[in-house]
Amino acid sequence: MTVQANMAGASPVARRFGAVLPLLKGVAALAAVLLAVELIVILFGIRPYVLPRPSAVIEAILRTPAAYRDAIIRTGLETLMGFGAGALFGIWIGIAFSRLRFLRETVFPIFIVSQTIPVIAFGALVVMWFGNTILAKAVIVFYLTFFPVTVNALLGMRAVDEKQVQLLRSFGASEREIMRKLRFPTALPHIFVALRIASALGLAGAVVGEWFGDTTGLGVLLLQGMYAENMVAIWASILCSAVLGVAFFSAIGLAEKRIVFWGGEST
Amino acid sequence: MTPAEEPILDLRKFSKTFGEVQALDGVELTVQPGEFVTVVGPSGCGKSTLFNIVAGLEEPDAGSVMRFEGQSVHAKQLLGKVSFMPQRDLLLAWRNVIDNAILPLEIEGANRAEARAEAQRMLPEFGLAGFADKYPHELSGGMRQRVALMRTFMFKRDLMLLDEPFGALDALTRTMMQRWLLEVWQKHKRTVLFITHDVDEAIFLGDKVLVMTARPGAIKLERKVDLPRPRSADLVTAPEFISLKRELLDAIEEESMKTFGPSSH
Ligand SMILES: Nc1ncnc2c1ncn2[C@@H]1O[C@H](COP(=O)(O)OP(=O)(O)O)[C@@H](O)[C@H]1O
Ligand SMILES: [Mg+2]
């Protein structure tokens, strides 16, 4: 009895700690890499032109924090907008595909073909259509997000146990209720796998999108560093991108732990 | 004839074919209101197929006659009309015990808070007191089965179909669950059609035992169980129990031999 009570008391704490763990891990890994690079640069006397010391990079960021902050916010916003819209649209299309065989057989192949277009080629088009706006970058991120989400949502909803579908039907459930109460929750773990992939892909898309022309953002800082042949500035932008990437990735990991708490594949 | 004597379920010339495979061939079966009918038969003889049809999930072959509560019906008219417990518990991993139990009520459109309160009151009766917030992966096999049974009971329909509900449990848990099921059944006054592959279980629980033939399934033998209720554990050593068991076992063995086919000749 007491043992049970103790376990019941400990488990929520353990769960909360488990949820923050990916974030802590990400931060610790980043810090360890920076420290290692610092040591290597000093030990081997590597010239700053080849590889600047991480401490010098951080110093550069701290010298003009506003520029980097604005860049992170801008690129972060682009990614967030495109990612959010792409995730919602991907899930929606996934549901439509799983419900309508006709769509699945006609439109889905077109989707796959569309994804073989390299994002660079597509980026040029988008900038022509949407101009040098934040929307243009969000559209690129959207394009990179919705496809993996659609595919995994569709796969997840088709991975449902037919016996469970039959059980719900025997209770008199409509297709709509079966979707809401069974197919969608079954697909959630698969959807999260796609979201994790898409978070990294989406950020890269936003940075690259900025190369087609913009005035703020991490991609812009990277380009400026390159034109000025300023190694420290380049590395400062890379570091900021890494921080943003880790933050996105762990935010999704956190959401996943909370939402898909039962651990995916049913026991 | 008074309404009470009208069978709740009446199947005549009941057949089902899947492509080349004939699963059922001419099943004749009646179930009276309040009756506990058990069905035994060799595996693969079409027991689950029979249940799937009565649950409304499959249509029988043309020419089959099915009457439910006095009305001639198509299988799909039975969707939502009988409470069906399939062979596996099929609990939803993301729902705790209470929310799994109220799933059929939610689908019926019941008020969720009221359904939860009702389920909460039923927990002790199903041996699940204190487990309301547990998730399926935190439960033992016996407990999961009880949650599935509770879900079936919460879907208040006159006819209950239980497909080998205790098939996966160990012998001790199984006998406890059998006695418990009889208590719950007597209290809730439902009609039960119960599949098992265990003859002792079939006799111990049933008012009537049906033995099915090897595939294609039909009813080979029908025996009333004239043993007093409430039934106690020592019943299994009573002479009437043993002689009935012998007769049923002989019938089942004969059918099982057919399943093994040419090798036994
Ligand atoms: N949906 C189906 N499609 C094709 N064959 C099926 C289907 N369902 C059951 N069967 C076949 O019907 C026969 C009876 O199966 P089932 O009713 O599950 O037997 P039991 O429950 O008595 O073990 C088996 O040979 C099985 O392979
Ligand atoms: Mg079966």
Side-chain angles (χ1 to χ4, degrees):
Chain A
M1 213 55 216
T2 38
V3 175
Q4 252 180 4
N6 282 343
M7 274 168 61
S11 71
V13 176
R15 208 172 297 154
R16 192 160 308 155
F17 182 70
V20 191
L21 208 60
L23 185 67
L24 290 180
K25 267 190 197 158
V27 172
L30 195 62
V33 168
L34 291 181
L35 193 70
V37 173
E38 183 90 20
L39 289 175
I40 289 168
V41 171
I42 294 171
L43 273 175
F44 294 94
I46 297 174
R47 314 255 333 230
Y49 183 77
V50 179
L51 186 65
R53 280 187 296 119
S55 59
V57 173
I58 291 169
E59 223 177 276
I61 294 172
L62 293 179
R63 224 176 298 131
T64 51
Y68 288 98
R69 188 198 60 212
D70 291 351
I72 287 179
I73 290 174
R74 168 70 183 224
T75 305
L77 215 58
E78 290 162 2
T79 311
L80 213 57
M81 281 168 61
F83 183 81
L88 289 180
F89 186 69
I91 290 169
W92 185 68
I93 291 286
I95 290 172
F97 278 165
S98 101
R99 287 284 289 274
L100 305 166
R101 179 161 160 221
F102 173 75
L103 269 187
R104 192 161 66 235
E105 283 172 1
T106 53
V107 185
F108 199 59
I110 301 174
F111 266 48
I112 294 173
V113 172
S114 84
Q115 289 292 317
T116 59
I117 304 170
V119 68
I120 303 290
F122 187 78
L125 257 181
V126 168
V127 171
M128 298 296 282
W129 286 336
F130 295 90
N132 267 335
T133 57
I134 188 165
L135 195 64
K137 285 81 191 181
V139 166
I140 294 175
V141 178
F142 171 88
Y143 173 82
L144 289 168
T145 306
F146 94 90
F147 181 72
V149 173
T150 302
V151 171
N152 276 31
L154 181 59
L155 282 180
M157 282 182 276
R158 310 204 85 202
V160 71
D161 185 340
E162 272 313 310
K163 296 280 175 195
Q164 286 182 325
V165 175
Q166 294 196 336
L167 178 71
L168 264 67
R169 283 178 58 212
S170 86
F171 294 143
S174 63
E175 276 308 312
R176 195 191 184 84
E177 283 167 313
I178 291 172
M179 174 58 70
R180 262 220 340 256
K181 293 189 195 296
L182 179 61
R183 287 190 196 275
F184 182 67
T186 305
L188 270 177
H190 299 261
I191 291 173
F192 267 104
V193 170
L195 289 181
R196 267 189 275 137
I197 296 169
S199 71
L201 220 55
L203 180 58
V207 169
V208 172
E210 288 167 4
W211 292 350
F212 289 97
D214 210 329
T215 49
T216 38
L218 292 169
V220 175
L221 288 185
L222 263 172
L223 271 196
Q224 288 171 349
M226 196 175 86
Y227 290 140
E229 295 187 18
N230 181 347
M231 266 322 236
V232 173
I234 292 176
W235 279 101
S237 322
I238 292 174
L239 184 62
C240 289
S241 307
V243 169
L244 191 58
V246 168
F248 260 125
F249 196 80
S250 21
I252 288 160
L254 225 104
E256 184 175 3
K257 280 251 159 64
R258 296 212 141 209
I259 295 170
V260 196
F261 59 90
W262 64 91
E265 311 301 288
S266 60
T267 42
Chain B
M1 200 191 261
T2 62
E5 283 164 333
E6 188 167 42
I8 186 167
L9 183 70
D10 191 5
L11 308 180
R12 300 277 151 223
K13 294 186 268 181
F14 208 72
S15 305
K16 177 68 184 174
T17 314
F18 295 107
E20 302 275 280
V21 179
Q22 181 153 30
L24 297 172
D25 184 18
V27 171
E28 307 265 325
L29 180 163
T30 56
V31 182
Q32 298 297 331
E35 207 175 16
F36 199 128
V37 178
T38 50
V39 181
V40 277
S43 90
C45 74
K47 304 184 294 294
S48 294
T49 302
L50 180 68
F51 269 27
N52 283 339
I53 298 172
V54 178
L57 298 167
E58 306 256 14
E59 289 293 337
D61 291 350
S64 307
V65 179
M66 174 156 55
R67 295 176 71 80
F68 180 73
E69 292 176 336
Q71 308 257 318
S72 176
V73 289
H74 288 291
K76 68 168 183 287
Q77 291 172 275
L78 293 177
L79 283 172
K81 296 271 168 50
V82 297
S83 44
F84 172 46
M85 176 172 168
Q87 221 162 336
R88 289 188 292 130
D89 61 64
L90 302 177
L91 298 179
L92 303 184
W94 50 90
R95 283 175 173 248
N96 64 20
V97 166
I98 287 280
D99 287 348
N100 261 297
I102 67 166
L103 180 65
L105 297 187
E106 252 181 65
I107 289 168
E108 275 184 295
N111 178 300
R112 204 184 285 198
E114 281 170 22
R116 284 203 178 115
E118 187 190 343
Q120 196 77 44
R121 283 194 298 277
M122 281 172 84
L123 281 180
E125 192 184 335
F126 284 79
L128 294 163
F131 286 88
D133 306 327
K134 295 284 179 220
Y135 285 88
H137 69 267
E138 300 172 289
L139 304 176
S140 67
M143 274 182 168
R144 293 175 62 119
Q145 214 60 24
R146 284 201 292 259
V147 178
L149 267 167
M150 181 167 157
R151 179 182 63 197
T152 315
F153 271 91
M154 290 208 74
F155 192 48
K156 295 177 206 65
R157 296 296 181 270
D158 294 328
L159 180 60
M160 287 179 65
L161 308 174
L162 309 179
D163 192 349
E164 300 199 26
F166 308 142
L169 303 181
D170 61 90
L172 197 66
T173 317
R174 178 189 272 242
T175 42
M176 277 165 52
M177 295 284 287
Q178 287 165 358
R179 269 179 275 164
W180 165 84
L181 176 65
L182 284 184
E183 274 172 39
V184 178
W185 166 68
Q186 267 158 350
K187 207 172 123 191
H188 290 261
K189 299 193 177 61
R190 305 280 180 83
T191 311
V192 176
L193 197 53
F194 185 107
I195 290 177
T196 174
H197 54 244
D198 177 347
V199 177
D200 284 300
E201 184 168 84
I203 303 170
F204 185 74
L205 295 175
D207 292 316
K208 187 162 86 183
V209 182
L210 306 176
V211 178
M212 282 180 78
T213 63
R215 203 185 75 212
I219 306 299
K220 181 186 177 73
L221 192 72
E222 175 175 332
R223 286 288 173 270
K224 277 225 155 323
V225 183
D226 281 320
L227 296 168
R229 291 188 190 272
R231 295 183 178 165
S232 60
D234 53 10
L235 196 69
V236 295
T237 53
E240 302 96 307
F241 189 101
I242 290 170
S243 70
L244 183 54
K245 181 175 170 180
R246 181 155 307 138
E247 186 186 8
L248 294 173
L249 277 176
D250 285 347
I252 293 167
E253 183 161 311
E254 203 179 305
E255 291 309 314
S256 299
M257 295 305 271
K258 285 189 201 161
T259 317
F260 288 106
S263 60
S264 61
H265 286 271

